[in-house]
Amino acid sequence: MSERSDFNDLAREVGGGAVTAVISSAIANHRQRDEIAAKRDSEVRQIGENWPDPILPGHVPVPDIPVDLLPSWVKDMAGAVAESTQTPPALAVMVSLSVLATCLHRRFEVAPWGEDDDYTEPLSIWTLTALPSGSRKTAVIGALAAPLVHWEKLERDRLRQEIARAHSARLVAKKRIEKLTKDAVNAENDQERERIRKMIEDEENAMPPELRAPRLFTGDVTAERLQALLVEHGERMSVMSDEAGIFLIMAGMYSGGMASLDVFLQGHAGMPMRVDRADRCAHVDRPALTFGLALQPGVLADVASSRRFRDSGLLARFLFAMPDSNVGQRDVRRRWSIPNYIRQEYERRLHGLLDGREQFASKPRVLGMTAPARDIWLDFADEIEKQQGERGALESIADWSSKLPGAAARIAALFELGEDGEAAREVGESATSKAVALCRLLIQHAHAAFGLLGADATDTDATTIVKWAREGGHISFSKRQCQKAMEGRFRTISRLDKALERLAHSDVARIDKVPNKGAPPTTMIRMNPKLFVDSI
């Protein structure tokens, strides 16, 4: 039955031709509105064809991070792990960087201006990849860190007897010192007491240093225990984990809610660490701390959005990867195992990098850059610097991007050492080019990460403008009209200008100056018509 006959039946039931006329008019008006709306929708679609697709604030598209940027043997393993686990290559790339740094940090540094220059960068790297639960983060970390676990076991077995011998010798020496101390207290004269004191001194000097099975990384550790691990294991340690516990510890889970960040910050920068408390002492001259984390985006947003984390510069030290999840798109019938020759070569090369590792820290070897490599690095540093100022593309993450050139130098040295091992003498052009290419890709990932953390106020302002325009059907409006509508938020023109420029950079809006006779031009904003197709 037709819509009109339905209404006619209703009219007959209630009686009267007047009702029928009213209903017929309502139907006609309704259809007319539908026709107008369809026409407007069609016109908007046609206009929108001349616009690119908008990038809404907080929805930053991120580029893929290919494994091809890694050193050859690392590339083969990272690619195989990503293929085997059906995970985004970005996760394997970031974890591989942290594994390389775990093998090389504290032993090497890079000096872009030459090895005799006083500006050097340690090779500690902090990576954080955000993927939802079920993304097989554990499998990727496990596969890429497996040679580190194996190396620790081999070293434990190799040093077992030596560790036991040193331990027993220290026990005997301590007991002997304890006895001599009592004898000195009971000595009959100063001459005898001095003789015993010298015997104690000789015992202490002859006591062998404490030996421990080497550790390369940990997962769940308090700030206090991390300080001890740095002391015990040659001033270097890594944290590799797919759990958020380390952020909870940083936030003060075990210290009454008081954030404990110093050891982490000093470990990234390689600054001397001095802890002198009643219950513990920790003196480390050049600490080296590497992170390789893979967390759920929601956990990252909840835990790491602490203002203290941002203000202290802790978040600025992480290299973020925010790849698109392929959960729900994986082929459950497909099984592809990592070839043994790739796995074995990866382990052989990693163990080769660890062969020169000493238990007790020595002065790190400094790698300079070749002249062409330095030019590439300086061009990148200049490019970053020019985008960090007011209204620059990197203004909202200037704290993070200011550390990016240093990170590029660190990664370049890791790549060089990854290819040539300890035979490397300088960081070359190829390694630096790949490091810079990787850092350029990471910029968009950092924008996405800081947007997730709610740290970009300009994005929030821009989102508010989009919402106001769409709800009110404001395809075109003046800047004054926009400020008046949201004067509680935009109390200053400069804040509104930043938000509008963010929309313009993201193809969400276009800003035009319309001339006025005898008056300053009016600033008009035209929104991308593609935003309104579904809302009109």
Side-chain angles (χ1 to χ4, degrees):
M1 188 177 292
S2 69
E3 185 181 66
R4 176 173 289 276
S5 62
D6 284 343
F7 279 115
N8 287 339
D9 290 343
L10 177 63
R12 281 193 295 271
E13 289 178 13
V14 299
V19 174
T20 303
V22 169
I23 293 176
S24 298
S25 176
I27 293 173
N29 290 338
H30 181 73
R31 287 177 177 170
Q32 186 177 15
R33 284 197 301 271
D34 285 346
E35 291 172 358
I36 293 173
K39 183 178 180 181
R40 290 177 63 191
D41 186 80
S42 175
E43 290 174 352
V44 168
R45 288 180 185 275
Q46 290 176 2
I47 298 172
E49 290 176 359
N50 298 321
W51 286 68
D53 290 335
I55 302 171
L56 294 175
H59 296 77
V60 181
V62 292
D64 294 332
I65 301 178
V67 297
D68 292 344
L69 296 171
L70 297 169
S72 55
W73 55 277
V74 186
K75 173 196 72 175
D76 292 341
M77 183 62 177
V81 169
E83 185 73 15
S84 175
T85 57
Q86 297 188 59
T87 52
L91 174 59
V93 171
M94 301 302 273
V95 175
S96 297
L97 272 181
S98 297
V99 169
L100 274 177
T102 298
C103 296
L104 298 166
H105 62 179
R106 183 57 180 82
R107 296 165 54 202
F108 297 90
E109 293 182 353
V110 60
W113 294 98
E115 58 187 87
D116 296 327
D117 193 76
D118 58 2
Y119 167 53
T120 63
E121 288 280 352
L123 300 194
S124 302
I125 291 290
W126 291 14
T127 70
L128 195 162
T129 307
L131 279 169
S133 180
S135 297
R136 299 172 180 166
K137 299 183 289 294
T138 303
V140 173
I141 293 176
L144 292 168
L148 305 184
V149 177
H150 188 210
W151 184 86
E152 287 182 348
K153 180 183 182 304
L154 293 175
E155 287 296 290
R156 236 180 0 256
D157 294 342
R158 182 178 70 83
L159 296 171
R160 190 183 305 278
Q161 291 184 353
E162 189 177 346
I163 291 172
R165 187 163 46 249
H167 179 68
S168 61
R170 287 175 61 85
L171 282 177
V172 171
K174 288 177 180 179
K175 288 295 183 181
R176 181 162 171 76
I177 290 170
E178 185 178 327
K179 180 181 180 303
L180 288 171
T181 301
K182 291 179 180 179
D183 292 343
V185 171
N186 298 322
E188 296 180 356
N189 53 59
D190 290 344
Q191 184 178 359
E192 178 67 10
R193 187 175 294 107
E194 179 62 17
R195 185 184 70 81
I196 298 174
R197 190 199 63 76
K198 286 184 178 179
M199 293 175 66
I200 293 173
E201 184 179 337
D202 290 341
E203 286 288 344
E204 289 179 338
N205 289 333
M207 186 188 300
E210 186 173 5
L211 291 180
R212 294 181 175 85
R215 288 280 306 281
L216 297 173
F217 70 97
T218 183
D220 185 7
V221 61
T222 65
E224 292 75 19
R225 181 57 189 147
L226 182 58
Q227 290 167 346
L229 287 172
L230 288 167
V231 172
E232 295 167 2
H233 296 283
E235 301 189 343
R236 62 214 148 184
M237 187 51 57
S238 292
V239 179
M240 310 277 287
S241 178
D242 61 345
E243 300 293 341
I246 191 65
F247 276 115
L248 296 173
I249 290 166
M250 290 178 186
M253 174 191 286
Y254 301 118
S255 54
M258 297 296 293
S260 181
L261 303 179
D262 288 350
V263 63
F264 303 103
L265 300 176
Q266 292 163 343
H268 181 274
M271 296 296 292
M273 183 179 69
R274 295 289 184 269
V275 178
D276 294 287
R277 297 185 181 178
D279 57 339
R280 71 183 186 281
C281 292
H283 292 180
V284 182
D285 293 333
R286 304 171 84 110
L289 176 63
T290 284
F291 275 106
L293 303 180
L295 305 176
Q296 293 93 335
V299 171
L300 177 61
D302 289 343
V303 177
S305 57
S306 163
R307 195 68 228 176
R308 174 80 188 277
F309 287 173
R310 184 73 187 268
D311 292 344
S312 67
L314 185 133
L315 289 179
R317 286 164 165 78
F318 279 99
L319 299 176
F320 296 95
M322 308 285 290
D324 294 330
S325 171
N326 61 352
V327 173
Q329 305 172 41
R330 296 169 299 198
D331 184 355
V332 299
R333 299 181 183 279
R334 178 176 163 276
R335 175 60 186 160
W336 188 84
S337 298
I338 301 171
N340 283 335
Y341 74 92
I342 291 179
R343 194 190 301 272
Q344 291 167 1
E345 178 66 5
Y346 176 71
E347 179 167 304
R348 185 186 74 81
R349 295 292 291 266
L350 277 184
H351 286 195
L353 293 178
L354 289 166
D355 281 346
R357 190 180 189 275
E358 301 172 347
Q359 179 176 3
F360 302 104
S362 57
K363 185 178 180 180
R365 182 155 71 84
V366 179
L367 298 180
M369 282 185 170
T370 64
R374 187 183 308 115
D375 286 340
I376 293 170
W377 180 76
L378 287 173
D379 287 344
F380 177 65
D382 184 59
E383 173 187 325
I384 296 300
E385 181 66 26
K386 289 178 178 176
Q387 297 182 68
Q388 293 183 115
E390 188 175 1
R391 300 182 186 176
L394 299 176
E395 180 191 7
S396 64
I397 55 169
D399 54 340
W400 179 87
S401 59
S402 65
K403 299 184 186 300
L404 193 58
R410 297 182 186 203
I411 294 170
L414 290 174
F415 285 176
E416 189 71 37
L417 288 161
E419 287 290 4
D420 297 338
E422 294 201 31
R425 290 293 175 266
E426 287 184 300
V427 178
E429 187 174 355
S430 175
T432 307
S433 294
K434 289 181 177 180
V436 166
L438 173 58
C439 287
R440 283 202 176 97
L441 295 175
L442 292 176
I443 291 173
Q444 288 303 102
H445 287 262
H447 275 301
F450 281 101
L452 177 69
L453 296 175
D456 191 340
T458 304
D459 260 358
T460 304
D461 289 343
T463 300
T464 304
I465 294 174
V466 171
K467 183 179 179 181
W468 168 77
R470 295 187 69 177
E471 289 178 351
H474 305 298
I475 297 179
S476 178
F477 53 87
S478 70
K479 185 168 72 173
R480 179 177 177 78
Q481 180 186 357
C482 180
Q483 185 188 26
K484 188 69 176 174
M486 292 174 279
E487 57 185 352
R489 173 178 292 271
F490 297 115
R491 296 185 182 278
T492 64
I493 287 292
S494 61
R495 180 171 176 176
L496 176 59
D497 285 340
K498 288 182 180 181
L500 291 174
E501 287 178 10
R502 179 67 56 83
L503 294 176
H505 289 154
S506 303
D507 294 319
V508 176
R510 291 175 183 170
I511 302 173
D512 299 316
K513 296 287 187 180
V514 178
N516 281 330
K517 287 185 178 181
T522 300
T523 301
M524 295 296 297
I525 293 87
R526 289 183 295 144
M527 301 298 286
N528 190 325
K530 293 181 178 179
L531 295 171
F532 295 85
V533 170
D534 295 328
S535 60
I536 290 179

